[in-house]
């Protein structure tokens, strides 16, 4: 069976043939069964992605419950409740759904198999996936099962799913250009995870900013957007380049960690080292010193994604995936 022949209307059999597994195995993968080897699971996901396979969902009963949506945060529960970014983006999405009297359920994606079974069972009519890593199974399997999905955060891999994101690349570039304009020459970064688009795009913007300013690339330390990661990464950067005079952290929480590490090392901010974060969380105005940061319109991102999902659920053509602008907020740290 050729891929070309399957391209117009791919079926489960086409997926199974391309993956080199039985149709039963392919079906178990799409239904979230644990009784599949990791190799077969990945082969089926790759085949679904290549073929653009979508399973037709059963027609909903006329007298069934009102429609509802789910917002899935693809991070551990501890991150969901500790990082104020998520509460803000969820507030924006919830407000947009409320305008259409649409209930929004909240779920964490720590157990994707059981969550997938629930989300594809007909209880939910659409799903917001919030900053899912490219390897997260829901990114592939939910669209394949015919569930309307909108992403918050640009997908790293080519995808037809609509998404909403901030201009992460442009914001990071703006941060570096500001540091260069104020005389900083030895600029380093605490980058985000390399398997999340926000981490990838902010690192790309950092490098572009250095290139535009004619500065040599600085060392990079990676973190997971949390405060402890910022402390650890800043300590490593100081060890690697003691003469650094500025740091761009890819999140405000990592910037807060960097401020702590710099105080511990006896470095003054901004006299010795300038610090810029990303997000403009409410805490940024209350750090010591107050944090210069890149503001992204978090609530607006959530609301725009909700509107995209509602359009998809109604069978409308989704608008082009919007990338919302970011702005520099100057405070005393840089």
């Amino acid at each position: 069976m050729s891929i070309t022949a399957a391209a117009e209307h791919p079926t489960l059999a086409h997926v199974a043939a391309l993956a080199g597994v039985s149709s039963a195995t392919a079906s178990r993968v799409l239904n979230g069964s644990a009784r599949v080897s990791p190799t077969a699971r990945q082969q089926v996901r790759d085949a679904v992605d290549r073929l653009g396979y979508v399973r037709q969902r059963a027609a909903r009963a006329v007298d069934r419950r009102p429609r509802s949506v789910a917002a899935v945060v693809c991070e551990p529960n501890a991150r969901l409740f500790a990082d104020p970014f998520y509460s803000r983006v969820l507030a924006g999405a919830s407000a947009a759904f409320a305008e259409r009297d649409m209930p929004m359920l909240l779920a964490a994606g720590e157990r994707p198999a059981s969550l997938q079974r629930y989300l594809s069972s007909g209880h939910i009519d659409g799903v917001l996936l919030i900053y899912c890593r490219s390897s997260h199974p829901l990114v592939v399997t939910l669209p394949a099962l015919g569930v309307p999905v909108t992403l918050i955060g640009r997908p790293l891999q080519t995808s037809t799913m609509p998404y909403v994101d901030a201009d992460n690349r442009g914001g990071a570039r703006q941060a570096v250009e500001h540091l260069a304009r104020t005389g900083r020459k030895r600029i380093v970064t605490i980058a985000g995870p390399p398997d999340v688009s926000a981490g990838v795009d902010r690192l790309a913007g950092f490098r572009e900013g250095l290139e535009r300013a004619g500065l040599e690339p600085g060392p990079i330390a990676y973190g997971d957007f949390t405060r402890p990661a910022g402390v650890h990464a800043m300590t490593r950067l100081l060890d690697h380049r003691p003469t650094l005079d500025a740091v761009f952290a890819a999140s405000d929480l990592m910037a807060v960690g960097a401020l702590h590490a710099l105080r511990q090392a006896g470095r003054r901010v901004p006299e010795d080292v300038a610090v810029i974060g990303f997000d403009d969380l409410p805490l940024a105005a209350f750090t010591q010193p107050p944090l210069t940061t890149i503001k992204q319109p978090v609530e607006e991102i959530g609301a725009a994604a909700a509107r995209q999902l509602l359009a998809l659920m109604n069978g409308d053509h989704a608008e082009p995936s919007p990338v919302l602008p970011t702005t520099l907020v100057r405070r005393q740290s840089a």
Side-chain angles (χ1 to χ4, degrees), residues 85 131 153-156 165-166 168-169 172 191-205 225 248 250 278-279 296:
F85 170 86
Y131 284 111
R154 180 183 68 82
L156 281 178
D165 208 352
N168 292 299
R169 191 168 187 150
D195 58 348
V196 175
S197 61
V200 171
D201 292 344
R202 291 173 195 178
L203 179 56
F225 293 137
F248 165 62
F278 200 113
D279 288 328
Q296 60 170 326

Side-chain angles (χ1 to χ4, degrees), residues 159-280:
S159 173
T160 58
M161 285 185 289
Y163 69 89
V164 180
D165 208 352
D167 183 10
N168 292 299
R169 191 168 187 150
R173 184 173 60 244
Q174 188 177 13
V176 176
E177 290 172 346
H178 170 73
L179 291 169
R181 281 196 305 271
T182 56
R184 308 293 172 161
K185 303 293 185 184
R186 298 174 298 279
I187 306 172
V188 301
T189 186
I190 303 174
D195 58 348
V196 175
S197 61
V200 171
D201 292 344
R202 291 173 195 178
L203 179 56
F206 169 78
R207 287 169 167 156
E208 287 177 1
L210 290 178
E211 184 177 356
R212 289 190 181 189
L215 299 175
E216 291 296 318
I220 299 166
Y222 291 89
D224 62 357
F225 293 137
T226 64
R227 181 185 180 278
V231 175
H232 179 68
M234 190 72 251
T235 302
R236 289 175 52 205
L237 289 167
L238 286 168
D239 290 340
H240 187 75
R241 180 172 287 189
T243 60
L244 65 87
D245 62 5
V247 57
F248 165 62
S251 78
D252 282 352
L253 290 179
M254 292 199 297
V256 170
L259 290 173
H260 175 80
L262 289 166
R263 279 195 301 272
Q264 293 295 105
R267 304 295 181 93
R268 299 169 301 165
V269 177
E271 292 85 355
D272 301 326
V273 181
V275 178
I276 295 184
F278 200 113
D279 288 328
D280 195 31

Side-chain angles (χ1 to χ4, degrees), residues 6-334:
E8 291 184 5
H9 301 288
T11 66
L12 183 64
H14 294 135
V15 171
L18 182 58
V21 301
S22 68
S23 293
T25 297
S27 179
R28 283 197 293 271
V29 171
L30 293 177
N31 287 320
S33 172
R35 296 183 296 112
V36 182
S37 71
T39 299
R41 192 181 306 278
Q42 189 58 52
Q43 288 170 338
V44 172
R45 290 174 184 164
D46 291 343
V48 164
D49 202 33
R50 289 180 61 186
L51 293 174
Y53 168 77
V54 176
R55 180 185 293 178
Q56 296 299 313
R57 303 181 81 197
R60 44 184 300 121
V62 174
D63 59 349
R64 202 153 61 87
R65 47 100 192 129
R67 296 198 300 172
S68 61
V69 297
V72 178
V73 177
C74 300
E75 293 288 349
N77 285 341
R79 284 286 308 280
L80 169 58
F81 295 107
D83 190 336
F85 170 86
Y86 294 110
S87 62
R88 293 176 63 198
V89 77
L90 288 167
S94 179
F97 287 130
E99 292 176 358
R100 301 284 291 274
D101 294 323
M102 183 76 66
M104 185 188 82
L105 305 180
L106 173 62
E110 285 188 297
R111 300 178 182 270
S114 58
L115 183 57
Q116 176 182 301
R117 287 193 293 272
Y118 175 76
L119 295 175
S120 60
S121 66
H123 297 290
I124 295 295
D125 300 279
V127 178
L128 282 183
L129 290 180
I130 302 174
Y131 284 111
C132 275
R133 287 166 166 78
S134 56
S135 59
H136 200 286
L138 294 180
V139 173
V140 173
T141 54
L142 283 181
L145 291 168
V147 180
V149 175
T150 295
L151 303 175
I152 292 181
R154 180 183 68 82
L156 281 178
Q157 298 175 336
T158 302
S159 173
T160 58
M161 285 185 289
Y163 69 89
V164 180
D165 208 352
D167 183 10
N168 292 299
R169 191 168 187 150
R173 184 173 60 244
Q174 188 177 13
V176 176
E177 290 172 346
H178 170 73
L179 291 169
R181 281 196 305 271
T182 56
R184 308 293 172 161
K185 303 293 185 184
R186 298 174 298 279
I187 306 172
V188 301
T189 186
I190 303 174
D195 58 348
V196 175
S197 61
V200 171
D201 292 344
R202 291 173 195 178
L203 179 56
F206 169 78
R207 287 169 167 156
E208 287 177 1
L210 290 178
E211 184 177 356
R212 289 190 181 189
L215 299 175
E216 291 296 318
I220 299 166
Y222 291 89
D224 62 357
F225 293 137
T226 64
R227 181 185 180 278
V231 175
H232 179 68
M234 190 72 251
T235 302
R236 289 175 52 205
L237 289 167
L238 286 168
D239 290 340
H240 187 75
R241 180 172 287 189
T243 60
L244 65 87
D245 62 5
V247 57
F248 165 62
S251 78
D252 282 352
L253 290 179
M254 292 199 297
V256 170
L259 290 173
H260 175 80
L262 289 166
R263 279 195 301 272
Q264 293 295 105
R267 304 295 181 93
R268 299 169 301 165
V269 177
E271 292 85 355
D272 301 326
V273 181
V275 178
I276 295 184
F278 200 113
D279 288 328
D280 195 31
L281 297 178
L283 62 82
F286 301 101
T287 58
Q288 293 297 325
L291 183 66
T292 296
T293 185
I294 300 296
K295 179 182 179 66
Q296 60 170 326
V298 180
E299 289 83 1
E300 290 86 343
I301 289 172
R307 290 191 290 268
Q308 286 271 36
L309 181 58
L310 288 168
L312 200 62
M313 290 164 55
N314 291 331
D316 300 333
H317 291 293
E319 297 294 325
S321 295
V323 176
L324 304 185
T326 54
T327 55
L328 176 72
V329 179
R330 294 188 62 178
R331 297 192 180 98
Q332 283 71 57
S333 70

